Amino acid sequence: MVEWIISEGLTDYDEAVAFMEDRVAGIAAGEAEECVWLLEHPPLYTAGTSARREDLLTPDRFPVYRTRRGGQFTYHGPGQRVVYVMLNVGRRGHDVRRFVQQLERWVIAALAEFNVTGHIREGRVGVWVERPDKPPTATGGLREDKIAAIGIRLRKWVSFHGISINVDPDLEHFSGIVPCGITEHGVTSLVDLGLPVTMADLDVALRRQFDAIFAEAKDGA
């Protein structure tokens, strides 16, 4: 069984990490259920294991949290759905690459419920949408904006951290970092794309698509 938690209001980042640490230990020990936690954070930046100092453009703007998840700098804040996934990857095939691909497919399937086509791009972590309505990039390519970030960590084959999907955050807040180290493309949200999607709407889509993506047989099942 997977427990689903939806937190109202804004959740302190340190409190969230402490919860995940405790829950992951319980899952690894066979003493707690897997968990998907949906929440929002107050405005903050997080730095993954690949974060470069020069990509933090305004270090005094919001709190900066160093984290041992994969990836570079990301922004979290109100209007962004953060999805922390505490799942036993060991029981789900011992395949980290496949697990990340499942997370990507999950986001893309949820976005598709709102007629948004998400894309995965080689060398660019996260989920992207094409923006033919915007001017081309400096190199003449099609402009693409990031709508979801992915960054996980494993301990004893149990995952934590996870994904964030932009519903209606203040996109200007992303200007304090180089999101994921990528300068050629921007960020967007469901509302920025002209879709009146609420956090509750996205939660329903995520819950509906979860089983379809993660219901593959587990080891030993």
Side-chain angles (χ1 to χ4, degrees):
M1 295 292 294
V2 176
E3 180 183 9
W4 285 74
I5 302 172
I6 301 178
S7 293
E8 301 295 332
L10 303 179
T11 301
D12 177 79
Y13 188 77
D14 284 332
E15 291 180 8
V17 172
F19 176 91
M20 286 191 286
E21 295 270 359
D22 183 68
R23 189 57 169 259
V24 165
I27 295 170
E31 299 170 352
E33 293 180 339
E34 295 178 303
C35 179
V36 175
W37 187 12
L38 309 176
L39 56 87
E40 293 174 78
H41 283 307
L44 59 91
Y45 298 129
T46 65
T49 54
S50 302
R52 300 175 298 186
R53 183 187 299 270
E54 61 269 26
D55 287 342
L56 180 60
L57 305 178
T58 55
D60 299 324
R61 185 174 190 183
F62 298 129
V64 179
Y65 293 88
R66 300 284 169 178
T67 174
R68 285 176 283 181
R69 61 154 175 80
Q72 301 186 40
F73 278 105
T74 60
Y75 165 76
H76 294 314
Q80 181 191 73
R81 178 51 91 209
V82 174
V83 186
Y84 287 136
V85 286
M86 290 151 273
L87 300 177
N88 192 329
V89 180
R91 292 178 57 216
R92 295 171 181 272
H94 283 92
D95 189 332
V96 178
R97 181 180 177 86
R98 173 181 165 218
F99 179 67
V100 172
Q101 290 172 340
Q102 287 176 313
L103 293 176
E104 294 170 340
R105 285 163 44 209
W106 184 28
V107 173
I108 289 171
L111 293 175
E113 294 206 11
F114 309 105
N115 295 316
V116 174
T117 302
H119 299 274
I120 303 303
R121 298 305 190 206
E122 187 70 28
R124 282 194 265 138
V125 178
V127 179
W128 300 78
V129 294
E130 296 179 346
R131 301 301 303 269
D133 54 312
K134 288 188 173 184
T137 66
T139 58
L142 177 65
R143 178 79 62 181
E144 296 184 342
D145 286 343
K146 191 172 192 175
I147 196 167
I150 298 175
I152 65 165
R153 185 181 174 203
L154 295 183
R155 178 180 296 150
K156 296 183 178 178
W157 285 101
V158 179
S159 70
F160 56 125
H161 296 283
I163 64 181
S164 58
I165 304 172
N166 297 331
V167 178
D168 188 22
D170 186 337
L171 296 179
E172 197 278 329
H173 288 179
F174 285 88
S175 67
I177 57 173
V178 178
C180 299
I182 296 169
T183 58
E184 188 175 14
H185 299 281
V187 292
T188 191
S189 68
L190 288 166
V191 171
D192 181 56
L193 293 173
L195 301 168
V197 178
T198 67
M199 203 69 72
D201 293 333
L202 178 61
D203 293 346
V204 169
L206 287 167
R207 185 68 182 267
R208 184 159 41 221
Q209 295 298 330
F210 181 84
D211 287 341
I213 300 299
F214 290 95
E216 300 165 16
K218 302 176 183 178
D219 287 355

